[in-house]
Amino acid sequence: MTTTFSKGLASVLALCAATSAGAETFRWAGTTDPQTMDPHAVSSAPVLGFLNNVYEGLVRRGKDMAIEPALATSWEPIGAGEGWRFTLRQGVTFHDGAAFTAEDVLFSYERASSEASDVRSWFAPVSEVRVVDDFTVEIMTTAPNPIFPDSIANWMIMDKGWAEANNTAQPDKENGNYATLNANGTGAFVLSDRQPGLSTSLTPFAGWWDEAEHNITQATFTPIDNPATAVAALLSGDVDMINPVPIQDAARVDEREGTKVIRGIEARVIMLGFGHDHEALKYTSQAGNPNPFQDVRVREAVAKAINVDAIRQTIMRGSAEAASQLVSPAMRGFSEANAERPAYDPDGARALLADAGFADGFSFGLKCPNNRYLNDEAVCQAVTGMLAQVGITAELDAMPVQNYWPELRADNFDMYLLGWSPGTFDHEHPVRFLVTTPNPEKKLGSWNFGGFSDARVDELLPMIQSEIDDGKRQMMIDEITSIYQDNHAYVPMYVQPLVWGTRDNIELTQRPDNFFILRWVSVN
């Protein structure tokens, strides 16, 4: 951390402390600043989780992750699966006082499903959105889609008039626009101040349609990328909550008078990804050589070389669970038939490398964030050491997440670290985003950075999306899981733990999607 940033952070924390005389002021910190206030520009948990406090969708998830009404009061299938009819909530206003109507839903669909949107994959099954009247919309799908309401819990509705008046009818995640720094939702909190990289403040929306469960009068988020600084801020009382607590500091925070640790297991699976469609390596002295990761034997060797139990015990202090697939056992569609993960087998890894023609190993570039996932850089350093033991030399390049996503989208990697939390809590979600062949026209595979492709997976996905028989659906999910496991499309390692730290006087709800919802916070 630079001296300039330290001074800036100290000033923000001092201001928070100075304004905390009222018991209902709440201050929290995290490692990652949401990079935009635009709900359709960036599909990442730090953005979507934060903006769930400001914007709302037709549906939302409750404390138990169940879908419940939000801007829609009810929904029902149309005909024999042609789509879904949503009845909208009347009397709702945006933060600027504008009335919420079906036109805002149609506008938000057109905006969120556009080429410029990072969440357009959510609408791959949608063929059309119809406005029936001011408070009824019909969302037509290309095939029966029984999980569609679950899939749009994070689709947030914007005010058409506000967006058009402020020249932000389309998202712009690269250059930004008015919606990057400003917001106008219908949610429980109003964006009152936004200073990217320093602090973001929210105040309760007096005109919110729902009943408030919180007692907050002001909430301020401060990004703190240095874990030691975050812990010090919590212990000194400068902030009321931090997420995450570094694993190595959890016991100290829990034992300290005045603070406590809240633990859980997140829905997020941490994995390694490969440049499947890269013909050549891009990094190290071997840049330009044929890409070894196009050989399934090399990818399997990587899976066998990673000692996941060692990562769980040493870096995660026993808090994480090993992962065999792209979802945890708690998710719908987890494949019990494919629950076993590759055993740690460095000798087997060396044999596979020799069989693939790499008995002497090779070198490559490993990209990794250093402030996105819990202990992410430390995990990548451990992976680097484990691969070296079987003769593969990884050149690690760790960077802040705001630089990381552009690198992955520009194909600037040989291998990379990725975490995925299924927004629908269903196995279909990572299959759609991570495993299907990238197809911008069909809005599929938008996070499949490495370009993995399998025709059978592409054939099965729409069948899974439309199948209403759970047994038949699971058989198809099992088949897809076998395909991506046999191909070692990714190397799932572990399910990330949740480790939050709070002051003793804070009551909150920790959900497994790691979204922090302010409307459930009480300062006692």
Side-chain angles (χ1 to χ4, degrees), residues 278-282 287-291 294 414:
H278 297 183
E279 295 298 326
L281 291 171
K282 299 194 174 188
N289 287 358
N291 178 16
Q294 289 193 322
D414 294 322

Side-chain angles (χ1 to χ4, degrees), residues 439-456:
N439 187 324
E441 183 179 346
K442 293 183 177 180
K443 305 169 186 172
L444 296 173
S446 59
W447 284 70
N448 182 357
F449 298 118
F452 175 78
S453 180
D454 184 275
R456 180 60 175 161

Side-chain angles (χ1 to χ4, degrees), residues 195-206:
Q195 299 180 54
L198 288 177
S199 69
T200 305
S201 294
L202 304 172
T203 53
F205 177 34

Side-chain angles (χ1 to χ4, degrees), residues 35-38 168 172 175-182 194:
Q35 66 189 89
T36 180
M37 295 291 101
D38 189 326
T168 182
D172 188 344
N175 302 309
N177 56 29
Y178 189 76
T180 304
L181 296 175
N182 300 274
R194 170 66 173 161

Side-chain angles (χ1 to χ4, degrees), residues 317-331:
R317 306 292 175 97
S319 298
E321 298 177 353
S324 64
Q325 44 202 275
L326 303 183
V327 293
S328 75
M331 299 299 104

Side-chain angles (χ1 to χ4, degrees), residues 410-476:
D411 274 349
N412 293 332
F413 61 86
D414 294 322
M415 185 194 293
Y416 59 95
L417 185 79
L418 181 68
W420 194 260
S421 178
T424 58
F425 275 48
D426 191 294
H427 206 153
E428 178 272 343
H429 192 270
V431 170
R432 172 164 36 111
F433 281 88
L434 304 181
V435 188
T436 53
T437 304
N439 187 324
E441 183 179 346
K442 293 183 177 180
K443 305 169 186 172
L444 296 173
S446 59
W447 284 70
N448 182 357
F449 298 118
F452 175 78
S453 180
D454 184 275
R456 180 60 175 161
V457 171
D458 295 344
E459 179 185 7
L460 285 170
L461 177 64
M463 297 166 65
I464 288 170
Q465 291 173 328
S466 60
E467 182 56 65
I468 59 175
D469 184 291
D470 284 344
K472 293 178 181 178
R473 186 177 191 268
Q474 188 60 53
M475 288 178 63
M476 291 186 284

